[in-house]
Amino acid sequence: MISYTWHFEVIWQYSRLFLAGTGVTIGLTIAVVILGLLIGLVAGLMQLARSPVLRWVSWAYIEMFRLTPLLVLLLWFYYALPMLTGIKIDALSASVITLSLYGGSFYAEVIRGGIVSIESGQTEAGLALGMTPARVMRRIVLPQAIKRMIPPLMNQSIIQFKNTSLVSVLAVPDLLYQGQVVAMDTYRALEVYTAIAAIYFVVLLPLTVIVKMAERRLAQSN
Amino acid sequence: MDNCKIEISALRKSFGALAVLRDINLKVEAGSVVALIGPSGSGKSTLLRCINLLVLPEGGRIRVGDDAFSFDGNAKLSSTREQARFRSNTGMVFQHFNLFPHMTVVQNVMEGPLSVKRMPKAKAEAVARKLLDKVGLSDKGDVYPNKLSGGQKQRVAIARALAMEPAVMLFDEVTSALDPELVGEVLNVIRDLAADGMTMIIVTHEIGFAREVADRVLFMRDGVIVEEGPAREVIDHPKEETTRVFLSHFHNRG
């Protein structure tokens, strides 16, 4: 180890692969964050529904995904689900579906928590004006709740960004998968995996700074 | 009694085993002011909240203007849309103001006309500015509620309720959360409304104010109306012992 000579130039030689991998990772994150937020919003609102059936369905979904390892879920959706349904899905679709559902279960809890944190007097004031409950939610409660949800939602999205690295087991060509290809090609695992860790870090660093700033602004406005 | 704006008959409500309202009957004539007084837990706030369906009664009937709702134990109540329409006809002002903190003062007042009546923005703003002028806050339209004093917040809340042009106004202990020196400015606005002929029900602990502004006073205890009559009569010469005991706590303040 002491006499190890670093050869980071291999990273440059394979820079196109790293770039392509980073692109896939970022694109995948954007897709699963957006889809996850939509799923989370629906599941979070269902948690607050009057119908016990809706509440139970969303509870079952949330706990099922929150309490199962993501790696197990990925393998299940890619290998087991097609056996069950007879419908074959490609690795990328399986990844997007699994990560979105997995992220959605965490987003749902954040969204539900944000909504119930708004004082009931706000809802009453909206209802008293003659607004329907749906309109009260859209005009009065959600705009206030979203402000409180943003920091935890961003934290969850940062975790989702890192979670995407697991799709490499399904041979989706993300950053980690491309890195593995390069490492096997060059026998330069140390340089390659160090570079990969650094890329994840560099992409996420500005995001964490934004979250910190958002949390500070929120603390002030309260 | 064709002249009644509010008519309540045989109204019942309980929370679990606790009967909060037992067989309440009440009529409020158009243009008159009724004050509801009584100890806390007597059911007066619940009664007020039943009138605009924020609390759904278990039995009885409520009519506000031309709109009536009947309730019976198990029948599924009307749609949320119908309830919303019913509520738009009553203005409610709350103890804790409940202004929308993410909107400016004028946006708070515009919200009802905009989002319930679908009024064009310019018209809604004109209505809102006029009402803010009426409650003495024409210079505060563009600030956010957190910049206002409690008395100013409550006056905005009154303007917000008035913007819907409700048939009746309901006031739920609207001065209870205010510093003493801010109570007067809110009561003045209510006094002006009474002079304008607004039909109102006021839940209050301001006995002196009730005596002065209300036409009739209802004393409630344990979910029933114990005594009712012309304001001065009930407050100055209560017939029932419980009313007398309750009012004796206020004598030095009247």
Side-chain angles (χ1 to χ4, degrees):
Chain A
M1 272 307 279
I2 296 163
S3 61
Y4 189 85
T5 347
W6 294 81
H7 284 287
F8 272 114
E9 63 275 11
V10 299
I11 308 296
W12 294 117
Q13 284 158 18
Y14 287 89
S15 61
R16 286 184 56 180
L17 277 188
F18 281 99
L19 221 57
T22 307
V24 169
T25 291
I26 291 176
L28 187 59
T29 305
I30 291 171
V32 301
V33 163
I34 291 172
L35 286 172
L37 282 171
L38 289 175
I39 295 168
L41 181 64
V42 172
L45 288 174
M46 276 167 71
Q47 284 278 286
L48 303 167
R50 255 173 304 177
S51 148
V53 177
L54 289 183
R55 284 205 305 271
W56 191 87
V57 167
S58 80
W59 173 83
Y61 152 67
I62 290 169
E63 296 308 336
M64 210 147 73
F65 280 85
R66 280 206 316 174
L67 304 179
T68 321
L70 179 54
L71 186 54
V72 175
L73 286 170
L74 277 169
L75 296 172
W76 193 88
F77 270 82
Y78 186 55
Y79 295 110
L81 186 66
M83 292 167 73
L84 205 65
T85 59
I87 304 165
K88 181 101 186 87
I89 47 174
D90 62 277
L92 186 63
S93 306
S95 303
V96 170
I97 292 169
T98 312
L99 278 164
S100 301
L101 286 169
Y102 182 79
S105 69
F106 287 90
Y107 290 137
E109 282 297 283
V110 171
I111 289 168
R112 186 196 63 83
I115 289 171
V116 298
S117 79
I118 303 299
E119 306 70 41
S120 61
Q122 291 291 310
T123 302
E124 290 186 347
L127 291 176
L129 286 175
M131 298 163 84
T132 57
R135 188 156 274 273
V136 170
M137 184 56 73
R138 230 180 47 236
R139 297 276 308 175
I140 309 298
V141 177
L142 274 183
Q144 297 181 59
I146 283 169
K147 243 172 60 185
R148 293 186 193 177
M149 293 172 199
I150 282 174
L153 287 179
M154 285 187 71
N155 273 324
Q156 199 56 51
S157 302
I158 286 171
I159 294 171
Q160 277 291 78
F161 181 78
K162 298 191 290 179
N163 281 342
T164 58
S165 63
L166 287 172
V167 304
S168 58
V169 300
L170 304 185
V172 173
D174 76 324
L175 178 56
L176 181 58
Y177 179 84
Q178 300 287 25
Q180 286 168 327
V181 170
V182 177
M184 275 189 284
D185 233 32
T186 61
Y187 300 102
R188 286 286 167 191
L190 183 52
E191 287 85 347
V192 168
Y193 291 124
T194 306
I196 287 172
I199 292 171
Y200 278 108
F201 180 84
V202 165
V203 172
L204 284 181
L205 188 63
L207 285 176
T208 58
V209 172
I210 292 172
V211 174
K212 273 267 153 44
M213 274 164 42
E215 277 171 350
R216 248 211 326 271
R217 272 232 322 263
L218 188 75
Q220 280 168 358
S221 72
N222 289 345
Chain B
M1 292 288 267
D2 287 342
N3 203 20
C4 281
K5 262 277 158 64
I6 302 176
E7 198 176 344
I8 293 168
S9 45
L11 200 70
R12 283 188 296 109
K13 174 71 191 177
S14 44
F15 293 121
L18 181 73
V20 197
L21 297 176
R22 323 159 188 241
D23 190 29
I24 298 286
N25 294 285
L26 168 64
K27 286 180 179 178
V28 181
E29 277 176 53
S32 75
V33 179
V34 168
L36 276 177
I37 62 171
S40 31
S42 59
K44 52 195 194 312
S45 279
T46 306
L47 172 55
L48 200 70
R49 296 157 76 83
C50 280
I51 297 174
N52 74 349
L53 309 182
L54 281 182
V55 170
L56 292 174
E58 278 138 15
R61 187 169 178 279
I62 295 175
R63 178 175 69 77
V64 174
D66 302 323
D67 247 340
F69 256 88
S70 285
F71 309 91
D72 69 57
N74 44 18
K76 187 71 193 150
L77 276 155
S78 57
S79 68
T80 53
R81 191 165 292 276
E82 269 178 77
Q83 289 178 20
R85 191 185 47 74
F86 187 86
R87 288 192 191 103
S88 69
N89 209 19
T90 65
M92 177 106 174
V93 185
F94 301 87
Q95 181 177 356
H96 295 288
F97 330 123
N98 300 349
L99 293 180
F100 306 134
H102 58 303
M103 299 180 185
T104 62
V105 164
V106 73
Q107 285 168 342
N108 264 275
V109 183
M110 288 162 69
E111 184 59 26
L114 273 185
S115 112
V116 179
K117 289 188 168 177
R118 309 279 167 170
M119 196 183 273
K121 211 166 179 176
K123 200 175 161 206
E125 180 163 353
V127 167
R129 300 257 178 214
K130 214 172 119 192
L131 285 167
L132 285 175
D133 192 40
K134 187 182 165 81
V135 298
L137 292 170
S138 48
D139 56 330
K140 298 289 186 192
D142 300 311
V143 305
Y144 283 87
N146 62 358
K147 296 277 181 276
L148 302 179
S149 72
Q152 291 171 330
K153 283 181 190 169
Q154 200 57 298
R155 285 187 280 154
V156 174
I158 293 172
R160 179 177 67 179
L162 288 172
M164 289 300 294
E165 298 181 305
V168 303
M169 285 286 281
L170 311 173
F171 293 87
D172 190 6
E173 299 195 29
V174 294
T175 57
S176 300
L178 296 179
D179 292 335
E181 74 271 22
L182 302 175
V183 169
E185 61 189 72
V186 173
L187 294 185
N188 280 337
V189 171
I190 302 175
R191 201 175 276 125
D192 289 348
L193 286 176
D196 291 350
M198 175 62 83
T199 310
M200 300 193 275
I201 299 183
I202 302 173
V203 170
T204 186
H205 289 296
E206 302 284 336
I207 302 297
F209 179 71
R211 184 180 178 280
E212 174 206 331
V213 172
D215 301 296
R216 285 196 307 142
V217 165
L218 273 68
F219 174 69
M220 280 186 75
R221 213 196 128 143
D222 298 331
V224 293
I225 297 172
V226 175
E227 181 167 355
E228 67 172 296
R232 275 153 215 254
E233 215 173 288
V234 173
I235 288 170
D236 296 342
H237 308 290
K239 290 193 183 66
E240 302 291 328
E241 180 58 26
T242 47
T243 318
R244 208 168 303 154
V245 170
F246 175 74
L247 287 170
S248 69
H249 299 304
F250 294 90
H251 267 170
N252 44 358
R253 286 214 256 154

